[in-house]
Amino acid sequence: MTRDQSLVPDSSSKIVPPGPTRVVPQPHRKRALLVVGMHRSGTSATTRVLNLLGSDLPARLMPARPGDNPLGYWESPELADLHDELLESAGSAWDDVSSLPESWHESEAGAGYLQRVSRILESNFDDSVLFVIKDPRLGRLLPLWLRALERFGAEPGFVLPVRNPLEVAASLKVRGGFQLAKSLLLWLSHVLETERRTRGFRRSVLAYEDLLQDWRGVVDDIARDLELKWPRLSHQATAEISAFLSEKYRHHHADGGELQARSDVTPWVKEAYDAVLELRTSNDPAITDRLDRIWRELQTADGAFGPVIAESQLNLAARGDRVVELESEVSSRQAEVDRLGGELTTLGGRITELESELSARQSEVDRLSEGPTVRDGRIADLEDETQAGSRERERLSGELSSSRAEAERFGSELEDERKRIDWLSRELSAHGRERERLVAELSAGEGESVHLREELASSRRELALARDQVQLLESEAEAVRRRMDVRGQELADSRSEVTRLHGELEDRRNETAHMTVVAKERLRQLVAIREESQRLRMCLEVARAETESLDLRLGKARSELDYMTDCRSWRLTRPLRWLLGHWQRRDR
């Protein structure tokens, strides 16, 4: 059953690409898959697999080359030529171990190439929803391509095929005669730059051997990492991919153990290969930190050895051009010698013919000279012809001698040119050996540089630790200073407060002395009051006793009064008492 799937973001993905930013896929927008791997790293096979899964290819493809890539390159020759032209305009080439100057991307030339790349995108992928672009030079030109894709309205996703550096070097040796040291440095600079340029974007790292052994797992990883679904993941596509991928086209084999064991491989390459492979399953920042450290060390080494290597390459190229020029001149001289040799052969044949004819005429003259007199006229004619033939023979012999002399002169010049070419070839070989020596010194210097940089890094860490401790002590000292300032201010405030309190205390003492006097006076008054109170209390007791006595007397009097009022005489004298009282009130 066919599993056709629409090109939509896969929301189940949990992988987050490394880098400071996160690119969120936008629905209904073009998706561009850029295969950015080192030369001879399986980029062609990866591109074809992505194409069979539903990604569009450029309209015109570079033809397959049986001796180099029999299954096809699956890239645009127009783009390859444009990239070569671009690199040459920037003073670089695809096999330059140094990075492209950053200033080029902001130059007018960069703007011109941006327009040309944009036109190629429009002419090839204007109607495409998902397309794939492959060229090993892409990794060095990503700033240009990112701007072009943004202008085109396509979101980039990067696929990074990685192959063992020893296999890449062996392949470059067969195809271009590259020395091991150059191939490894080229692999290192390309892989490091590509990895740095693709951070912050959706990307997927794959191993070339994994693609050959388990392509289904690899394409699942790519779909997960790039958050897409393949539009052509069908049984037919599965059969086509399985038929396309084959171990028999992998002509060079090496494993990680062999790479680590090789003493002629710089530690940079070993560490970078391990780190990049770890990126297949992990986004640990420690991995990119390792790659950044190698990149910085490589740039430092390039600043030291790059000018020397560039000058050597220029001299080598100049001598190579001179050799080509001399070889062309030798070929021209050889053609001239061959022409003269042909003319010489022709003249020799003509001389032979004339000699044969002269011999025949002489025989005829001898025969006729024995005949009758009537043949004298014929004999005279034959003698004239013979003399003319002799003169022609002498002329041709002169020309033959002249041609032989000229041929000998050309031969001598040719021998001189050959000797000169041999000398230049020896010089070229010497320069090649010198270049190899410089590259070997660079590789050896890299190992020593790694050791020195490790020591430098250790010293820097110790220095950073010491600086941190100094900063910590300075911070603590500053904090102590601030606390002392605060305490000083508090002490000054306390002193002011103490002075104020002393003043208040003196006032309180004065007030206390005054209050003491007042208190003593009050105490004296209180004692007097207490004495008076005691006297009054005694008086009160006496008064109470007298009151009680009076109460007794009053009770007795009331009893007597009650008795008197109850008697008849009291009632009879009542009018008299009223008149007596009235008179007394009136008198008052």
Side-chain angles (χ1 to χ4, degrees):
M1 181 178 64
T2 302
R3 294 184 296 166
D4 293 331
Q5 298 168 323
S6 61
L7 183 63
V8 296
D10 187 358
S11 59
S12 64
S13 175
K14 301 298 183 182
I15 296 296
V16 179
T21 59
R22 172 69 168 150
V23 181
V24 179
Q26 301 294 327
H28 313 300
R29 188 178 181 185
K30 294 177 181 293
R31 299 288 298 275
L33 305 183
L34 277 68
V35 180
V36 285
M38 169 62 189
H39 300 258
R40 321 306 294 173
S41 294
T43 55
S44 299
T46 302
T47 303
R48 178 54 174 164
V49 169
L50 298 181
N51 166 242
L52 292 174
L53 292 171
S55 305
D56 295 336
L57 288 169
R60 189 166 67 91
L61 296 176
M62 188 180 296
R65 191 176 301 169
D68 184 33
N69 203 338
L71 297 181
Y73 294 92
W74 308 103
E75 64 182 272
S76 166
E78 184 181 10
L79 275 179
D81 293 341
L82 178 64
H83 289 164
D84 283 333
E85 177 188 334
L86 183 158
L87 292 172
E88 184 180 2
S89 73
S92 183
W94 75 267
D95 60 344
D96 191 350
V97 297
S98 300
S99 300
L100 192 68
E102 291 291 340
S103 59
W104 182 89
H105 296 286
E106 304 300 328
S107 65
E108 294 182 0
Y113 281 103
L114 175 61
Q115 296 287 346
R116 295 173 63 180
V117 170
S118 299
R119 287 196 294 269
I120 290 176
L121 286 173
E122 293 172 358
S123 62
N124 285 272
F125 306 111
D126 192 46
D127 297 328
S128 297
V129 177
L130 176 67
F131 58 92
V132 59
I133 298 175
K134 169 254 176 179
D135 183 11
R137 304 161 188 80
L138 275 175
R140 308 188 63 193
L141 305 173
L142 284 182
L144 171 71
W145 272 91
L146 289 173
R147 294 167 62 187
L149 290 172
E150 180 65 25
R151 176 180 294 185
F152 185 55
E155 294 184 14
F158 297 97
V159 180
L160 285 68
V162 180
R163 189 178 183 183
N164 189 301
L166 291 178
E167 296 182 6
V168 174
S171 183
L172 289 175
K173 175 71 174 179
V174 172
R175 189 183 74 170
F178 285 9
Q179 297 297 321
L180 176 65
K182 177 178 180 178
S183 296
L184 293 179
L185 281 177
L186 187 61
W187 179 94
L188 182 63
S189 63
H190 188 104
V191 169
L192 290 178
E193 184 170 7
T194 301
E195 189 280 326
R196 287 172 58 86
R197 297 284 191 189
T198 56
R199 291 181 195 173
F201 296 92
R202 293 190 305 280
R203 68 179 183 180
S204 184
V205 180
L206 64 94
Y208 176 54
E209 60 184 8
D210 291 343
L211 181 68
L212 297 178
Q213 297 171 4
D214 180 23
W215 68 264
R216 293 173 179 83
V218 170
V219 300
D220 288 343
D221 291 341
I222 295 174
R224 181 197 65 226
D225 295 342
L226 302 188
E227 302 180 18
L228 56 82
K229 293 183 179 180
W230 302 115
R232 193 176 178 267
L233 188 57
S234 62
H235 292 311
Q236 180 179 352
T238 299
E240 291 171 345
I241 295 173
S242 298
F244 172 74
L245 295 174
S246 175
E247 279 279 357
K248 70 179 181 180
Y249 295 108
R250 182 185 179 188
H251 303 296
H252 308 282
H253 297 265
D255 56 29
E258 180 182 355
L259 178 69
Q260 295 297 328
R262 291 281 291 266
S263 60
D264 54 350
V265 177
T266 172
W268 287 342
V269 174
K270 299 176 183 179
E271 186 176 359
Y273 180 61
D274 290 341
V276 173
L277 289 182
E278 290 178 18
L279 288 176
R280 291 177 298 174
T281 57
S282 174
N283 293 321
D284 188 354
I287 301 175
T288 53
D289 290 343
R290 289 161 55 196
L291 294 172
D292 285 341
R293 174 180 54 78
I294 298 173
W295 172 262
R296 290 191 298 269
E297 293 174 356
L298 181 63
Q299 296 308 301
T300 302
D302 181 71
F305 293 98
V308 178
I309 295 177
E311 183 178 359
S312 176
Q313 287 177 336
L314 285 177
N315 293 334
L316 197 63
R319 291 186 180 277
D321 293 341
R322 181 56 180 163
V323 168
V324 172
E325 180 182 345
L326 290 175
E327 287 178 346
S328 176
E329 186 175 348
V330 167
S331 298
S332 177
R333 294 290 180 89
Q334 186 64 48
E336 182 68 16
V337 168
D338 292 341
R339 184 184 65 79
L340 291 175
E343 291 182 359
L344 189 63
T345 301
T346 303
L347 288 175
R350 179 60 178 163
I351 289 172
T352 301
E353 291 177 0
L354 289 175
E355 287 177 346
S356 299
E357 185 177 350
L358 183 61
S359 297
R361 295 290 179 87
Q362 186 64 44
S363 298
E364 181 69 15
V365 168
D366 293 340
R367 186 180 65 79
L368 292 176
S369 61
E370 297 175 356
T373 305
V374 294
R375 295 182 179 176
D376 290 344
R378 178 61 180 164
I379 292 172
D381 293 338
L382 290 174
E383 288 178 347
D384 291 340
E385 290 180 1
T386 301
Q387 291 176 358
S390 297
R391 289 192 297 273
E392 179 67 15
R393 178 185 175 187
E394 291 174 356
R395 184 183 68 80
L396 291 176
S397 296
E399 290 182 0
L400 179 60
S401 299
S402 176
S403 296
R404 283 176 177 168
E406 186 174 359
E408 290 176 357
R409 181 176 63 82
F410 276 116
S412 177
E413 291 181 358
L414 180 60
E415 185 64 25
D416 292 339
E417 292 296 336
R418 283 176 176 166
K419 291 179 179 178
R420 188 175 180 185
I421 289 174
D422 292 338
W423 177 80
L424 287 173
S425 297
R426 288 192 299 273
E427 286 289 315
L428 187 60
S429 299
H431 278 278
R433 289 191 297 274
E434 177 68 13
R435 180 173 177 273
E436 292 176 2
R437 184 185 65 80
L438 290 173
V439 172
E441 288 180 359
L442 175 59
S443 299
E446 289 167 1
E448 184 178 358
S449 174
V450 170
H451 176 67
L452 292 176
R453 292 191 179 280
E454 288 176 353
E455 292 182 354
L456 179 60
S458 177
S459 299
R460 284 178 175 170
R461 287 193 295 271
E462 293 178 358
L463 179 59
L465 181 60
R467 285 176 177 170
D468 292 341
Q469 292 177 350
V470 170
Q471 290 178 355
L472 179 60
L473 292 175
E474 289 178 349
S475 300
E476 292 179 354
E478 182 64 26
V480 170
R481 290 193 195 97
R482 288 195 296 269
R483 288 199 297 271
M484 289 179 65
D485 292 340
V486 172
R487 295 295 173 80
Q489 184 63 38
E490 291 178 353
L491 181 59
D493 295 341
S494 298
R495 286 174 178 171
S496 300
E497 182 68 15
V498 168
T499 302
R500 184 183 65 79
L501 291 175
H502 275 300
E504 290 184 359
L505 181 59
E506 188 64 28
D507 294 338
R508 293 292 174 88
R509 283 176 179 171
N510 295 332
E511 185 178 354
T512 301
H514 175 70
M515 293 296 293
T516 302
V517 174
V518 174
K520 288 179 179 180
E521 180 64 25
R522 295 284 177 86
L523 182 59
R524 187 186 62 79
Q525 293 178 357
L526 182 60
V527 170
I529 290 172
R530 282 180 178 174
E531 292 175 352
E532 181 66 20
S533 175
Q534 290 177 356
R535 187 184 65 80
L536 291 175
R537 195 174 285 115
M538 292 175 63
C539 292
L540 180 61
E541 290 295 334
V542 173
R544 283 178 178 172
E546 292 178 353
T547 301
E548 289 177 357
S549 176
L550 290 174
D551 286 338
L552 291 174
R553 293 171 63 187
L554 179 60
K556 185 177 180 181
R558 283 179 175 172
S559 297
E560 293 178 355
L561 181 59
D562 290 337
Y563 174 76
M564 290 177 60
T565 55
D566 289 336
C567 71
R568 179 181 289 178
S569 59
W570 182 263
R571 289 193 300 267
L572 290 176
T573 59
R574 181 176 182 183
L576 294 176
R577 291 194 304 273
W578 181 83
L579 288 174
L580 181 60
H582 176 70
W583 288 338
Q584 290 176 348
R585 286 193 298 271
R586 187 181 63 180
D587 291 339
R588 287 196 296 268

